[in-house]
Amino acid sequence: MARTDDDVDAALLARIHQLYGRQSHLIDGGFAREWAQTFTPDGEFCSPSYPAPVTGTDALEAFAGRFYVGARDAGEVHRHVITNVAVDRVDDDTLRVRAYLQIVATARGGASRLVRFTTIGDRVVRHGDTWLVDRRTVARDDA
């Protein structure tokens, strides 16, 4: 059971917001390896948008690479927009993070459209002196 959010101080909240902002910029910018490294080495990404969970750094890197190349080949720029980040401390080394995630696609020279609106539920763990996503579970609003 998570403790109250009173156990999460401003410095930790800032670090988690930075993690989520960095993740968005990395996957949208085609930095697949760096994005994958924001997960633990055996980190897991589970989404109903894809046929199976993606587990481990190499598989996460390949997944992020396909996402970027797919957008580029479609002549679009994709942006991950994360909002309403809520952080609860499970214990000293584990956080539960919930947030809304929108994926917006913009055709080069064209209009933007909302691809998906989702909620993410993450288990974020201390890994050395940093925090990494250990497990991400995505829930689609249209499911």
Side-chain angles (χ1 to χ4, degrees):
M1 182 67 161
R3 300 186 316 207
T4 67
D5 56 358
D6 294 340
D7 293 323
V8 180
D9 65 22
L12 180 54
L13 286 173
R15 289 184 77 181
I16 298 306
H17 275 265
Q18 181 71 4
L19 169 64
Y20 283 78
R22 194 170 78 251
Q23 277 192 324
S24 295
H25 286 280
L26 290 171
I27 194 167
D28 294 340
F31 299 98
R33 186 71 178 176
E34 294 85 347
W35 178 82
Q37 291 171 337
T38 66
F39 288 78
T40 59
D42 60 348
E44 186 175 50
F45 179 95
C46 304
S47 172
S49 298
Y50 304 100
V54 180
T55 305
T57 303
D58 291 341
L60 288 163
E61 178 182 2
F63 168 83
R66 286 189 302 272
F67 181 87
Y68 179 79
V69 168
R72 184 194 65 205
D73 290 352
E76 297 179 331
V77 173
H78 286 191
R79 298 288 185 228
H80 286 72
V81 181
I82 296 178
T83 60
N84 299 70
V85 177
V87 180
D88 293 307
R89 187 180 288 279
V90 176
D91 58 41
D92 289 343
D93 297 320
T94 309
L95 306 172
R96 181 180 67 140
V97 181
R98 293 164 293 135
Y100 296 143
L101 166 63
Q102 300 172 63
I103 300 176
V104 178
T106 304
R108 298 207 182 268
S112 297
R113 66 181 167 76
L114 180 63
V115 175
R116 290 188 270 296
F117 200 103
T118 67
T119 301
I120 57 175
D122 287 355
R123 186 169 94 136
V124 176
V125 298
R126 187 185 312 268
H127 193 80
D129 63 349
T130 192
W131 292 90
L132 300 174
V133 176
D134 184 52
R135 186 168 205 274
R136 171 162 295 160
T137 303
V138 178
R140 289 181 59 143
D141 284 5
D142 60 355

